[in-house]
């Protein structure tokens, strides 16, 4: 009989186990993982560097990075957020560094620092780890819970579900009466058939992107951030964030829409069509002798600038003085309202994130305990919570695990 069993050997599961063991050295704790290896997502995060949190230090600002879960996370973040995470890892021997965009990584630039920290801590606290334990049944008992795998049966007073996006576990929770919000992909890149865009693969530029339906109606999804041209279409923070905020809308339209790009973005603001037209007219008046290709505006890379000129019907070799009114208007339109048909999505590297999971109104966010079953806790992406890129998904895992662990200080096994 265990005091606590955690189902899921990922970020939320390990963090819950370690913090619980620190709070309650008397607890007998085990982690069950269905795979041979643990902490896979920690290993691949941030290109193998592990982007473990973000340098955002007020709960009100932090919750703005969660398309789903922002309201529910506000109170938990007042108890444990990014600064607390950084302090925790430093105290446990993982030196950190903060990059200019706010992302926080191990100073070693390797996820192995985090993985080794977790593995050392569970060994130190005598937390048992059982791999290849594919949970098939989860049943309440008078003493707590019974967990069945193909080759074992485990009993525990309390259970934490930290399995991430796992359809089988969602089904078990549905059998227990929980509502599962149907999962759809989040954090993905966009594919396009526009050949000239794909020929710009590798170019990154700051841009404002706005998503529209195929008939041109606004989907009310807009982001200003770096955008990357790829050999299939588009990636980068602007696109990934748009995919997160638009996860359900994009699923409904089968990932077919229009992406309108404004290439004049600077410091999170972009010029309007009228402002850009005035700027072009001024440039024509004061730089008439220069050729179009030799005076690229908005710090745009030359290859991109020449491609935009071509699409506006402007020869790159002609002078600014030679631009007629129609060309000026077309160029202003291309710079501020360049539309690309989006025809599908692709997974962003291996960092798959899902929008969907256990309905949040069924969870007590003071404790992360199920409102339907006592001694059943849920943390991480098993809940209908997800975030944009930047370390925010991990922060959700750390916060949930920490609060669940704190709760055991107040409870007897």
């Amino acid at each position: 009989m265990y005091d606590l069993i955690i189902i899921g050997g990922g970020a939320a599961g390990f963090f819950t186990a370690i913090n619980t063991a620190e709070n309650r050295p008397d607890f007998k704790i085990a982690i069950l993982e269905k795979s041979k290896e643990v902490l896979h997502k920690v290993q691949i995060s941030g290109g193998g560097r592990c982007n473990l949190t973000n340098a955002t230090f007020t709960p009100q600002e932090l919750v703005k990075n969660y398309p789903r879960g922002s309201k529910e996370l506000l109170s938990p973040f007042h108890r444990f957020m990014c600064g607390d995470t950084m302090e925790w890892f430093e105290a446990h021997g993982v030196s950190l560094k903060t990059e200019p965009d706010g992302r926080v990584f191990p100073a070693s630039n390797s996820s192995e620092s985090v993985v080794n920290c977790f593995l050392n801590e569970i060994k130190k606290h005598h937390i048992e780890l059982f791999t290849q334990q594919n949970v098939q049944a989860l049943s309440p008992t008078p003493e707590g819970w019974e967990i069945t795998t193909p080759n074992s049966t485990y009993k525990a007073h309390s259970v934490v579900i930290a399995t991430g996006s796992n359809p089988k576990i969602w089904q078990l929770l549905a059998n227990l009466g929980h509502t599962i919000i149907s999962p759809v992909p989040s954090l993905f890149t966009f594919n396009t058939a526009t050949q000239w865009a794909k020929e710009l693969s590798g170019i990154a530029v700051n841009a404002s992107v706005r998503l529209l339906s195929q008939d041109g109606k606004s989907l009310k999804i807009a982001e200003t951030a770096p955008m990357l041209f790829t050999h299939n279409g588009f990636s980068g923070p602007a696109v990934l964030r748009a995919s997160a905020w638009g996860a359900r809308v994009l699923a409904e339209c089968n990932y077919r829409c229009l992406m309108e790009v404004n290439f004049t973005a600077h410091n999170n603001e972009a010029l309007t069509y009228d402002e850009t037209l005035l700027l072009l007219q001024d440039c024509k008046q004061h730089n008439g002798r220069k050729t179009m290709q030799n005076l690229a505006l908005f710090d745009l890379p030359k290859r991109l600038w020449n491609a935009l000129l071509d699409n506006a019907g402007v020869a790159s070799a002609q002078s600014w003085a030679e631009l007629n009114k129609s060309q000026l208007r077309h160029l202003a339109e291309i710079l501020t309202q360049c539309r690309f048909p989006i025809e599908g999505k692709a997974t962003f590297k291996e960092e798959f994130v899902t929008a969907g999971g256990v309905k949040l109104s069924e969870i007590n966010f003071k404790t992360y305990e199920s409102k339907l079953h006592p001694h059943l806790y849920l943390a991480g992406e098993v809940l209908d919570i997800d975030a944009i890129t930047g370390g925010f998904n991990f922060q959700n895992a750390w916060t949930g695990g920490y609060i669940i662990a704190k709760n055991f200080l107040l409870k007897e096994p």
Side-chain angles (χ1 to χ4, degrees):
M1 184 74 180
Y2 289 87
D3 297 299
L4 175 65
I5 285 181
I6 294 151
I7 303 175
F14 268 75
F15 205 70
T16 305
I18 294 164
N19 279 279
T20 302
E22 290 178 347
N23 292 336
R24 295 297 299 261
D26 57 315
F27 266 29
K28 186 179 181 184
I29 303 169
I31 299 172
L32 307 184
E33 167 57 41
K34 70 172 183 176
S35 306
K36 287 183 180 180
E37 297 181 359
V38 294
L39 299 166
H40 175 66
K41 211 163 190 178
V42 172
Q43 289 178 323
I44 65 173
S45 162
R49 295 196 297 146
C50 189
N51 178 193
L52 52 82
T53 189
N54 192 283
T56 303
F57 299 118
T58 63
Q60 291 80 3
E61 284 300 311
L62 185 56
V63 296
K64 293 178 181 178
N65 298 286
Y66 295 82
R68 284 147 290 273
S70 59
K71 177 184 174 183
E72 291 79 8
L73 287 172
L74 185 59
S75 176
F77 283 158
H78 273 93
R79 298 173 62 189
F80 191 87
M81 58 173 297
C82 305
D84 302 302
T85 296
M86 295 169 72
E87 186 177 323
W88 191 95
F89 279 102
E90 293 275 4
H92 288 77
V94 181
S95 297
L96 304 178
K97 65 172 183 176
T98 303
E99 300 202 338
D101 60 2
R103 293 181 300 162
V104 177
F105 295 90
S108 65
N109 265 335
S110 173
S111 60
E112 290 303 313
S113 297
V114 178
V115 172
N116 291 337
C117 167
F118 283 169
L119 293 176
N120 290 337
E121 287 296 320
I122 68 164
K123 185 177 180 180
K124 171 184 171 183
H125 293 289
H126 308 291
I127 297 166
E128 297 180 59
L129 173 62
F130 301 99
T131 56
Q132 295 181 279
Q133 298 297 311
N134 194 0
V135 174
Q136 295 181 322
L138 176 65
S139 311
T141 69
E143 297 81 24
W145 291 90
E146 185 173 278
I147 303 162
T148 306
T149 69
N151 50 12
S152 300
T153 298
Y154 301 88
K155 293 183 178 181
H157 183 260
S158 297
V159 168
V160 175
I161 307 293
T163 48
S165 306
N166 187 319
K168 289 183 179 179
I169 297 297
W170 279 330
Q171 186 56 56
L172 293 181
L173 290 169
N175 295 343
L176 290 169
H178 273 292
T179 306
I180 307 301
I181 306 300
S182 58
V184 296
S186 181
L187 289 186
F188 47 83
T189 60
F190 294 165
N191 295 338
T192 186
T194 305
Q195 188 58 35
W196 70 265
K198 293 192 281 189
E199 290 172 357
L200 296 172
S201 178
I203 289 179
V205 63
N206 207 47
S208 288
V209 303
R210 189 166 72 104
L211 301 187
L212 312 169
S213 64
Q214 287 182 302
D215 59 4
K217 294 180 181 177
S218 174
L219 297 178
K220 298 180 180 178
I221 299 159
E223 286 289 333
T224 300
M227 184 187 79
L228 175 69
F229 289 88
T230 71
H231 65 279
N232 286 322
F234 308 95
S235 185
V239 168
L240 295 171
R241 292 175 189 174
S243 78
W245 289 105
R248 297 210 166 274
V249 173
L250 292 169
E252 289 170 7
C253 65
N254 199 27
Y255 308 101
R256 300 289 192 274
C257 65
L258 296 173
M259 182 175 75
E260 184 178 273
V261 182
N262 186 323
F263 291 101
T264 71
H266 180 69
N267 290 337
N268 290 326
E269 291 187 7
L271 300 181
T272 64
Y273 166 84
D274 289 336
E275 289 169 337
T276 302
L277 182 58
L278 284 173
L279 188 148
L280 293 175
Q281 290 168 342
D282 184 71
C283 202
K284 174 183 175 178
Q285 182 178 349
H286 293 94
N287 299 279
R289 292 183 180 182
K290 293 186 178 180
T291 61
M292 298 301 299
Q293 63 186 351
N294 288 333
L295 185 58
L297 301 183
F298 309 110
D299 294 322
L300 296 177
K302 267 198 171 182
R303 274 206 300 147
L304 172 58
W305 174 250
N306 288 334
L308 296 175
L309 292 177
D310 186 55
N311 277 273
V314 176
S316 58
Q318 79 180 84
S319 69
W320 277 87
E322 293 172 315
L323 285 178
N324 59 41
K325 289 182 180 180
S326 176
Q327 288 177 316
L328 283 168
R329 287 195 297 269
H330 282 144
L331 184 53
E333 185 176 356
I334 288 291
L335 285 167
T336 59
Q337 302 163 20
C338 192
R339 292 186 176 183
F340 301 92
I342 302 304
E343 301 176 353
K345 61 174 178 58
T347 302
F348 174 58
K349 299 180 181 177
E350 294 180 277
E351 298 182 45
F352 187 76
V353 174
T354 297
V358 176
K359 190 175 183 180
L360 302 186
S361 60
E362 297 172 356
I363 304 299
N364 176 2
F365 279 90
K366 291 181 179 178
T367 60
Y368 281 74
E369 188 172 16
S370 163
K371 291 180 180 178
L372 308 185
H373 297 279
H375 311 296
L376 177 64
Y377 301 83
L378 297 95
E381 288 182 41
V382 69
L383 299 169
D384 183 25
I385 295 175
D386 63 286
I388 64 174
T389 55
F392 303 107
N393 281 298
F394 275 144
Q395 184 57 50
N396 169 45
W398 312 140
T399 296
Y402 177 86
I403 289 176
I404 291 171
K406 273 291 183 188
N407 185 56
F408 290 122
L409 278 172
L410 309 174
K411 290 192 173 186
E412 291 299 322

